Amino acid sequence: MSNQELEFNPSGVGEINGNILGLPFDYESANLIVFGVPWEVTVSYGAGTANGPQRILDASTQLDLFDFDHPHGWKQGIFMPKIPQDILEKNTYYRGLAATIIERLSQGKTLTDEPDLTPVLTEINQACQQVNQWLFTQCQEAITNGKRVAVIGGDHSSPLGYFQALAAKYPNYGILHIDAHADLRDAFEGFEFSHASIMFHAMKIPQISKLVQVGLRDICHDEVELIDESHGRIVAYYDPAIKQRLYSGSTWINLCREIISHLPEYVYISFDADGLDPKLCPNTGTPVPGGLELEQTFCLFRELINSDRKIIGFDVCEVGDAEWDGNVGARIVYKLANLMDLSQLR
């Protein structure tokens, strides 16, 4: 440990030192690297989640570091590299272009109407692919260096490159997906890498053997059909069905154990803030009434590690551009960081 790490007081005032939670680690000394991906080019409702990584970083120094599941979890070493401003600038540019396409389609017109917007769509899809490739490279390098990785989006298209990097290491892993939406659309609004298509792309990765989705409540017919015809590779726990079972006397803890039973040994957690009750992250991109309480999700994750499964990575996406949303998002990131470490120690 460096002198700075030895002198660090976890009960002290959070230091604004550029690192998440004000922790005294750098890339070399940290075991967990948290990449911020300020990208939301294809959002189709509310904007602002590109600033989610910065909001979470800003709020994180207000958190106390004692964690009830892993009191000294901060000692694992957590480091967040600088949020890439070039990606944020490209996001602003391409978001403007995407808005013209979304507007055209919402008017019932085609992209080939004058002026022809198909070249614009191609340009946007290429830009999204470049961000995916950037993240893939960053994650693969970190994994090669023996690090664990987490991603903070942006919209939910953000972690695709990380899914692909994990697939290069793990021949079989599952995704536990917290979300109001299934994200199983094929090129929603023409955008190949849409925020509504992240799990559609995940299912193209053969190493991902199971997708278990929890909290779904805003879904289209095609997505339900895809789930129903997946032969069990995709398991959906719809929010209305969850609530009906709880109202009928089922316990959440037993439901958690049932949810987890579908997952393999190695599990990735993909956490979309809109999976929660909107009071927790009201400025998320596409809020939907209903959803989960924060402690409900934490209970689910605890049961995951109690089952001796290992958390191999996670993302937190769709956190809105507001102080309260950042506060909640920071708590999710820190909890998942600690639970991932705990699962690895077991």
Side-chain angles (χ1 to χ4, degrees):
M1 278 188 141
S2 67
N3 287 336
Q4 188 179 7
E5 289 161 34
L6 289 170
E7 294 169 2
F8 179 75
N9 177 11
S11 297
V13 176
E15 182 182 342
I16 302 174
N17 61 2
N19 190 24
I20 194 164
L21 301 159
L23 292 174
F25 301 99
D26 56 18
Y27 189 97
E28 286 69 33
S29 60
N31 284 310
L32 173 62
I33 308 301
V34 182
F35 292 109
V37 186
W39 193 254
E40 59 165 3
V41 165
T42 66
V43 292
S44 47
Y45 190 56
T49 60
N51 294 321
Q54 188 64 52
R55 284 294 190 176
I56 287 175
L57 176 62
D58 292 344
S60 68
T61 55
Q62 296 300 314
L63 272 61
D64 279 316
L65 295 178
F66 184 92
D67 182 272
F68 287 95
D69 295 296
H70 195 10
H72 301 291
W74 66 270
K75 290 183 178 180
Q76 68 183 284
I78 305 170
F79 177 69
M80 185 173 180
K82 287 186 177 180
I83 298 167
Q85 293 305 298
D86 60 324
I87 290 180
L88 184 59
E89 289 168 6
K90 288 177 183 176
N91 172 78
T92 302
Y93 172 72
Y94 286 108
R95 174 74 194 123
L97 294 183
T100 63
I101 289 176
I102 293 169
E103 183 180 6
R104 172 76 65 84
L105 294 174
S106 68
Q107 294 170 348
K109 300 177 181 177
T110 67
L111 296 187
T112 53
D113 289 350
E114 288 297 326
D116 186 356
L117 293 180
T118 48
V120 177
L121 179 62
T122 299
E123 186 181 353
I124 291 169
N125 286 336
Q126 288 173 345
C128 292
Q129 176 56 36
Q130 288 167 2
V131 173
N132 293 336
Q133 184 59 44
W134 170 83
L135 184 62
F136 172 81
T137 302
Q138 297 296 317
C139 292
Q140 191 170 57
E141 181 180 351
I143 291 168
T144 300
N145 290 330
K147 311 289 187 183
R148 295 193 285 264
V149 172
V151 167
I152 302 174
D155 71 30
H156 212 162
S157 70
S158 302
L160 181 58
Y162 184 23
F163 292 179
Q164 294 163 337
L166 283 173
K169 179 176 181 180
Y170 295 95
N172 173 22
Y173 74 94
I175 295 178
L176 177 56
H177 177 205
I178 307 297
D179 207 322
H181 310 90
D183 293 346
L184 288 167
R185 293 175 182 263
D186 181 2
F188 184 54
E189 296 176 322
F191 302 119
E192 183 180 357
F193 301 104
S194 168
H195 65 104
S197 302
I198 179 68
M199 295 306 164
F200 182 84
H201 286 290
M203 292 295 88
K204 293 180 181 178
I205 300 172
Q207 292 89 339
I208 299 175
S209 59
K210 190 76 79 165
L211 170 63
V212 179
Q213 304 183 290
V214 183
L216 308 185
R217 54 196 187 276
D218 200 14
I219 191 166
C220 76
H221 288 81
D222 287 349
E223 290 174 305
V224 173
E225 186 177 336
L226 191 61
I227 292 166
D228 291 344
E229 295 179 356
S230 71
H231 304 290
R233 190 178 176 210
I234 307 172
V235 180
Y237 281 83
Y238 300 108
D239 194 57
I242 289 173
K243 299 289 172 44
Q244 193 71 17
R245 288 178 65 175
L246 294 177
Y247 300 155
S248 301
S250 297
T251 66
W252 177 242
I253 200 82
N254 285 337
L255 194 48
C256 287
R257 290 165 184 165
E258 179 187 318
I259 291 167
I260 288 157
S261 70
H262 298 288
L263 290 161
E265 179 183 2
Y266 297 111
V267 178
Y268 176 98
I269 295 175
S270 191
F271 199 127
D272 187 317
D274 68 34
L276 297 170
D277 185 306
K279 68 176 182 273
L280 292 163
C281 278
N283 298 286
T284 187
T286 43
V288 184
L292 301 165
E293 294 295 336
L294 194 59
E295 276 301 331
Q296 275 187 297
T297 66
F298 292 169
C299 176
L300 176 61
F301 304 152
R302 288 187 195 104
E303 287 306 301
L304 180 70
I305 61 174
N306 287 341
S307 72
D308 290 331
R309 288 169 173 80
K310 289 191 165 33
I311 301 171
I312 59 170
F314 68 88
D315 66 70
V316 177
C317 294
E318 304 278 358
V319 171
D321 186 12
E323 186 176 354
W324 171 247
D325 298 58
N327 182 320
V328 173
R331 294 173 191 279
I332 298 169
V333 170
Y334 188 46
K335 176 59 73 177
L336 284 172
N338 286 327
L339 291 177
M340 178 159 68
D341 188 56
L342 200 57
S343 78
Q344 299 284 342
L345 292 172
R346 291 188 177 185

